[in-house]
Amino acid sequence: MSKLSVEEIKDRSRGLRGTIAETLTSEATHFTEEDYQLLKFHGTYQQDDRDLRVERKRAGLDKAWSFMVRSKIPGGDLTAAQYLMHDKMAEDLGNASMRITTREGFQMHGVLKGDLRECIARVKAAGLTTFGACGDVVRNTMGPSSPRATAAHRDALAISEELTEVFLPHSSGYFDLWIEGEKVDASAAEPEPEPIYGKHYLPRKFKIGLAVPPQNDVDIYTQDIGMYPHVVEDQVAGYSLVVGGGFGMSHGKTETFPRLADPLFYVHRKDVVAACVAIVEVQRDFGDRTDRKHARLKYTIEDRGIEWFREEVCRRLDAETAPVKEVTWDNVADDLGWHEQGDGQYFHGVFVPQGRVHDTEAGQFRTAFRRIAQELHLPSRLTSNTNILFYNIAEDQKPAFEAILEECAVPRSEAMTAARQTGHACVALPTCGLALSESERVFSGLMDEVDPVLRELGLEDEPLLIRMTGCPNGCARPYNADIAFVGR
Ligand code: SF4
């Protein structure tokens, strides 16, 4: 039988169920290609340890299969309990590390097939979900990472939560497979309607991010929908929307390219969610389902034009629109170190090399963050630059916070060059199946060589943006960096 297209796999999946339930309880070491595609919607990628591929093949062994499980965390905002759940899960079911993603989520690597259910159920029990963290749906909605006590920052987080709710797939397949488990006969289930996505979901993944000027930490121009607020008398009056950004491309295929988003329109606050739904529906109906490399919103807009797109969205939207508001951005970095929140409390941003939360000779990041959540009960924000900010810190908690960082030898961002503070790299080898080169594992070494040069040139405070990816897909957003390394 010829290989099914992803569109055909979705069509036959009965609400994203496929034969996942059967494989979960079988002796099979891994899932079929069809279920592999469906698993993504449930927030997990089937992977193998690529460092071991050759050796295992020579020994006549199967690949070393495991799973990456990704939590959806709107705006990257975590309670202390939710943080601790991830930390414990990394120890119990993963490879004793967590990876902060460039979409403000957490990824757990090295989860075995037999532990998948437990892993996903724990995320759900903590009040989060993995459903829609990957797949052809709206992914984790990103918000400004700074927990500043302003109307704009509060509202951006509220919108990222509203959008997460609105765009959560409706299929009960997720609940049946991961929460109810073997109690439900998944093969007998009939899918329920998906009011926004329809039976075939979206042509490709879809990304939404909000930023509060002048800090464009989520890179709104690289999102399918980017947004920024317009504040009047300390109230958010509305949002300007930009559409059609995206960085994925393929080497040697000139018809694929990175693209920055175009201005769409301004809408009042009350109409923002409806505007996003209308945009997603246009992409659902007009996105290219014949070629996955040409299926993102950026190509729909590039091919048909932004005027056509605006008209098509407005036709479906019962709301007043206006041209986007003027905006000035002055940085894309995270607020590392100490900052006042504006409500008498503080937040502190900690630099995490390549977003990998683990204990190494370079610093006991995982121990430090666990202790901060356990002993000080502080909430946190995962950032799009793959760092972490702890917030709601009272004045009298600051010494204890500092002591934990000190005792765990967590490097202080104040001593780093600005380039190291803002640079980041994607995961790549050994877990990403698409990686053509190293990225996460070599980036710190690269910066060890770059830093002395910057210091010699007096550029240690220059926010030079250096990013690296292990393939042209652009997960670490390389194409708008000052210097980018893209694997090939
Ligand atoms: Fe994998 Fe490529 Fe994304 Fe890096 S950019 S994580 S190598 S898909």
Side-chain angles (χ1 to χ4, degrees):
M1 197 172 92
S2 65
K3 196 176 157 192
L4 295 178
S5 71
V6 177
E7 288 299 315
E8 288 168 324
I9 293 169
K10 288 187 276 188
D11 183 72
R12 299 175 185 198
S13 72
R14 291 170 301 107
L16 305 173
R17 289 173 174 86
T19 53
I20 294 172
E22 289 83 340
T23 310
L24 274 174
T25 49
S26 77
E27 295 292 306
T29 55
H30 62 285
F31 291 85
T32 61
E33 171 64 21
E34 286 99 79
D35 285 343
Y36 164 69
Q37 294 298 340
L38 297 175
L39 278 170
K40 294 180 188 174
F41 289 79
H42 297 264
T44 178
Y45 268 69
Q46 177 167 276
Q47 305 181 321
D48 71 290
D49 188 332
R50 295 181 56 185
D51 286 347
L52 302 178
R53 260 189 204 177
V54 175
E55 187 186 314
R56 288 180 70 90
K57 195 170 177 190
R58 274 200 204 113
L61 296 169
D62 193 6
K63 289 176 179 169
W65 297 104
S66 68
F67 295 82
M68 179 278 280
V69 176
R70 187 181 289 164
S71 300
K72 228 159 76 171
I73 303 170
D77 193 57
L78 286 166
T79 63
Q82 288 167 337
Y83 181 88
L84 290 170
M85 179 278 296
H86 284 94
D87 178 80
K88 179 146 176 31
M89 200 157 72
E91 189 65 36
D92 296 348
L93 310 174
N95 65 358
S97 81
M98 295 101 82
R99 178 56 150 84
I100 301 171
T101 75
T102 50
R103 293 204 68 73
E104 301 177 339
F106 257 144
Q107 284 182 186
M108 205 78 56
H109 292 98
V111 178
L112 298 176
K113 191 187 116 204
D115 292 328
L116 257 184
R117 239 181 206 146
E118 169 78 16
C119 196
I120 292 175
R122 282 198 202 183
V123 174
K124 183 85 175 69
L128 296 168
T129 187
T130 64
F131 201 15
C134 327
D136 297 343
V137 288
V138 174
R139 305 278 185 94
N140 193 38
T141 302
M142 298 167 70
S145 49
S146 282
R148 293 180 190 279
T150 74
H153 286 85
R154 273 194 297 266
D155 195 59
L157 183 63
I159 289 204
S160 62
E161 287 166 353
E162 281 174 51
L163 291 173
T164 301
E165 197 61 37
V166 166
F167 289 116
L168 189 70
H170 279 221
S171 171
S172 61
Y174 182 81
F175 191 78
D176 295 350
L177 283 170
W178 311 110
I179 314 301
E180 285 292 286
E182 290 163 41
K183 281 181 269 173
V184 172
D185 180 4
S187 61
E190 279 304 312
E192 42 286 279
E194 291 281 3
I196 295 178
Y197 296 125
K199 187 180 179 188
H200 298 101
Y201 296 84
L202 298 179
R204 280 287 266 133
K205 59 188 167 187
F206 197 99
K207 301 179 175 182
I208 304 179
L210 299 95
V212 174
Q215 193 169 19
N216 188 12
D217 51 342
V218 308
D219 269 339
I220 62 164
Y221 300 98
T222 69
Q223 311 273 347
D224 290 285
I225 303 176
M227 286 188 245
Y228 53 92
H230 179 55
V231 179
V232 179
E233 294 176 359
D234 208 26
Q235 293 289 324
V236 175
Y239 282 83
S240 294
L241 273 59
V242 299
V243 289
F247 273 1
M249 62 173 286
S250 301
H251 284 315
K253 290 195 186 312
T254 48
E255 66 277 19
T256 68
F257 45 84
R259 185 180 192 276
L260 293 175
D262 294 315
L264 184 67
F265 50 51
Y266 169 86
V267 280
H268 297 301
R269 169 63 178 91
K270 68 180 175 50
D271 298 319
V272 169
V273 173
C276 290
V277 171
I279 293 166
V280 167
E281 287 179 348
V282 174
Q283 167 62 0
R284 176 199 65 200
D285 295 345
F286 292 95
D288 185 354
R289 290 180 185 266
T290 65
D291 178 2
R292 287 183 68 75
K293 290 195 183 305
H294 188 257
R296 292 285 302 272
L297 176 66
K298 62 180 177 178
Y299 297 115
T300 312
I301 292 177
E302 186 71 18
D303 293 348
R304 293 171 180 263
I306 187 67
E307 293 303 331
W308 169 87
F309 188 78
R310 190 178 291 116
E311 268 176 36
E312 193 59 40
V313 171
C314 289
R315 213 167 52 74
R316 299 165 189 241
L317 178 65
D318 183 17
E320 190 187 326
T321 62
V324 298
K325 305 287 181 193
E326 278 194 23
V327 67
T328 305
W329 306 104
D330 70 10
N331 75 86
V332 297
D334 294 331
D335 290 321
L336 299 180
W338 285 107
H339 299 271
E340 291 184 19
Q341 270 175 210
D343 58 0
Q345 302 184 94
Y346 297 85
F347 69 94
H348 187 108
V350 184
F351 172 76
V352 183
Q354 287 72 257
R356 180 65 63 182
V357 182
H358 56 169
D359 289 345
T360 67
E361 281 174 11
Q364 294 183 301
F365 294 89
R366 204 175 134 223
T367 302
F369 301 162
R370 184 192 318 123
R371 284 186 57 191
I372 289 168
Q374 253 168 2
E375 296 170 25
L376 304 177
H377 311 291
L378 296 175
S380 54
R381 293 271 171 91
L382 307 179
T383 82
S384 61
N385 293 307
T386 69
N387 297 310
I388 188 166
L389 313 183
F390 290 94
Y391 70 100
N392 286 355
I393 307 174
E395 178 80 51
D396 62 6
Q397 287 179 308
K398 288 171 81 176
F401 186 96
E402 289 279 356
I404 292 173
L405 293 185
E406 183 74 30
E407 285 160 23
C408 295
V410 171
R412 306 305 301 253
S413 55
E414 299 87 331
M416 296 172 192
T417 62
R420 189 179 286 260
Q421 289 180 31
T422 51
H424 63 255
C426 75
V427 177
L429 295 171
T431 51
C432 177
L434 299 175
L436 302 172
S437 73
E438 294 283 352
S439 183
E440 178 183 318
R441 295 195 293 197
V442 300
F443 192 73
S444 285
L446 170 79
M447 292 309 298
D448 289 345
E449 294 188 43
V450 170
D451 274 353
V453 179
L454 292 175
R455 289 188 200 284
E456 197 183 318
L457 296 171
L459 296 175
E460 57 267 40
D461 296 325
E462 192 64 28
L464 187 71
L465 193 58
I466 304 178
R467 291 174 175 170
M468 180 183 280
T469 60
C471 87
N473 269 326
C475 295
R477 302 188 297 275
Y479 305 112
N480 60 352
D482 294 308
I483 299 174
F485 297 85
V486 177
R488 60 180 303 158

